[in-house]
Amino acid sequence: MNTILQLHQLDKKYGNIHAVNQLSFRLERGNVYGILGPNGSGKSTTLGMLLNVVNPTSGSFQWFNGKISTHEALKKIGAIIERPNFYPYMTARQNLELVCKIKEVSFSKIDEKLILVNLFERKNDRFSTYSLGMKQRLAIASALLNDPEILILDEPTNGLDPKGIQDIRSIIKLISQQGTTILLASHLLDEVEKVCSHVVVLQKGKKLYEGRTEQMTQSFGMIEIKTDKTFEEISKLLQNYSGIDKITNEPDYVLCYLNQDIDSALLNKFLTEKNILVSHLRKTKPTLEQRFLDLTE
Ligand code: ATP
């Protein structure tokens, strides 16, 4: 069985705030999962519950098919859910040696992980001299020292400059190519789209979507039509046209939402044959942001 984690109606209330609302989803080995949602949608609370630092109000979750205790499962998980913090006066290598001692891992892993996050050349520099991006990369190296089956990251690129963001995203891809499952929380649609194969969209603690990332953002688009007829006449005529899902009246045109890929030339021909004068017909695709807003609205 390839299931790494299963959530069953996991729920967290802070007084009147329903931070996580009956959340269920499943993670399969080898994928990169994103928990996507605006600020306050319950991402960090969810990760906190999965890592045993927040107590659920109700519901449950099972790591690795429930065959081992959560305490044992945590040893197979690498997680960064806070800003990276190491001893500033110690070098990167010394900091990782300390982590190895705590995790009871051989020092031999250190160079391998420093190479992976591209910090090998800087391993003898003090942590205090590191940029924010380097600190985050060191935190990833540290979380990987015990070769976890899954790496959990909360907003991994927060506060980084474009180069730092790109570095982290490339490292995440590299780690996943090596077979490690990844679960990251992000409020950035663009980040999830670029990095994650699968996504769980949260809003106010509730799951809105779960599935492959490209399916969330897939759309057949829309067609704008301007004619000499009224909205009522056009919508009556097109209500049964195959491929048109919904028709709305916009200030400058009638907007047809598509549920399959239709040929705009054929639609034009159809309208012309009905003696309709078409002055504007244009096929458009909604932006990714629009798709996300549609989903979260
Ligand atoms: P962000 O990206 O801003 O961190 P998030 O999606 O991670 O947001 P959470 O931090 O999980 O969301 O917060 C979900 C809700 O629970 C918010 O309304 C938040 O104010 C509330 N919350 C989180 N932690 C606590 C707490 N310890 N006590 C009270 N309310 C909390």
Side-chain angles (χ1 to χ4, degrees):
M1 203 43 183
N2 271 330
T3 301
I4 282 216
L5 170 71
Q6 173 91 55
L7 281 73
H8 308 272
Q9 303 188 320
L10 200 59
D11 206 276
K12 178 69 186 178
K13 288 183 183 142
Y14 292 107
N16 290 332
I17 298 170
H18 209 160
V20 177
N21 193 338
Q22 300 288 310
L23 185 60
S24 300
F25 63 83
R26 198 169 67 188
L27 305 191
E28 302 288 340
R29 199 177 303 274
N31 293 327
V32 181
Y33 291 88
I35 302 184
L36 175 66
N39 287 337
S41 55
K43 305 179 296 292
S44 303
T45 306
T46 302
L47 296 186
M49 288 191 282
L50 300 176
L51 293 169
N52 260 14
V53 292
V54 173
N55 284 325
T57 307
S58 62
S60 63
F61 60 90
Q62 270 186 340
W63 280 107
F64 308 107
N65 288 317
K67 289 193 185 115
I68 50 174
S69 67
T70 304
H71 180 72
E72 281 304 308
L74 290 174
K75 292 185 184 164
K76 296 168 164 238
I77 299 167
I80 308 166
I81 55 169
E82 281 163 359
R83 281 221 150 190
N85 219 353
F86 293 92
Y87 288 102
Y89 53 86
M90 279 165 46
T91 68
R93 183 165 174 103
Q94 288 168 336
N95 269 298
L96 292 191
E97 283 175 358
L98 201 60
V99 177
C100 280
K101 281 184 191 155
I102 295 165
K103 290 189 173 180
E104 296 173 346
V105 176
S106 147
F107 283 4
S108 66
K109 288 278 167 194
I110 294 177
D111 284 354
E112 176 195 323
K113 303 306 175 192
L114 283 171
I115 290 168
L116 178 69
V117 301
N118 207 10
L119 282 176
F120 184 71
E121 310 292 322
R122 300 289 302 268
K123 67 177 177 177
N124 292 323
D125 291 352
R126 288 177 178 205
F127 180 71
S128 58
T129 66
Y130 273 26
S131 70
L132 196 59
M134 292 164 74
K135 288 176 178 170
Q136 183 67 330
R137 273 150 49 206
L138 185 65
I140 293 177
S142 167
L144 292 174
L145 280 171
N146 56 336
D147 288 324
E149 294 206 28
I150 177 166
L151 179 65
I152 298 181
L153 305 157
D154 195 359
E155 304 279 1
T157 59
N158 244 10
L160 303 187
D161 63 16
K163 168 80 169 63
I165 292 174
Q166 205 189 349
D167 288 345
I168 296 290
R169 290 179 183 170
S170 310
I171 289 168
I172 292 174
K173 282 188 190 156
L174 204 61
I175 296 166
S176 94
Q177 280 161 10
Q178 293 179 350
T180 308
T181 309
I182 293 174
L183 173 62
L184 65 87
S186 175
H187 65 283
L188 303 171
L189 175 62
D190 168 62
E191 174 149 292
V192 168
E193 210 230 344
K194 286 197 173 116
V195 175
C196 302
S197 58
H198 293 72
V199 62
V200 175
V201 179
L202 288 189
Q203 191 195 34
K204 294 185 184 150
K206 276 194 184 161
K207 182 176 78 178
L208 294 183
Y209 174 86
E210 175 189 5
R212 294 195 70 90
T213 310
E214 76 263 11
Q215 270 163 18
M216 180 189 81
T217 52
Q218 187 183 54
S219 163
F220 292 103
M222 296 159 294
I223 293 185
E224 303 166 359
I225 310 170
K226 209 186 307 187
T227 68
D228 57 343
K229 297 286 184 273
T230 64
F231 169 69
E232 286 71 25
E233 288 169 314
I234 290 294
S235 58
K236 193 164 171 223
L237 186 68
L238 294 180
Q239 66 188 357
N240 293 322
Y241 193 96
S242 174
I244 294 181
D245 185 31
K246 186 176 81 173
I247 304 170
T248 59
N249 195 12
E250 304 298 321
D252 293 328
Y253 44 77
V254 169
L255 189 59
C256 305
Y257 290 81
L258 310 182
N259 56 17
Q260 50 177 274
D261 196 17
I262 71 171
D263 186 341
S264 46
L266 288 180
L267 179 62
N268 197 358
K269 187 163 171 272
F270 172 80
L271 292 168
T272 312
E273 282 168 0
K274 300 279 179 204
N275 288 327
I276 293 169
L277 191 64
V278 179
S279 56
H280 169 89
L281 192 145
R282 190 169 80 104
K283 205 168 175 183
T284 61
K285 282 241 170 193
T287 61
L288 230 50
E289 272 71 19
Q290 191 55 49
R291 288 283 296 154
F292 183 52
L293 287 175
D294 288 348
L295 205 62
T296 49
E297 273 164 8

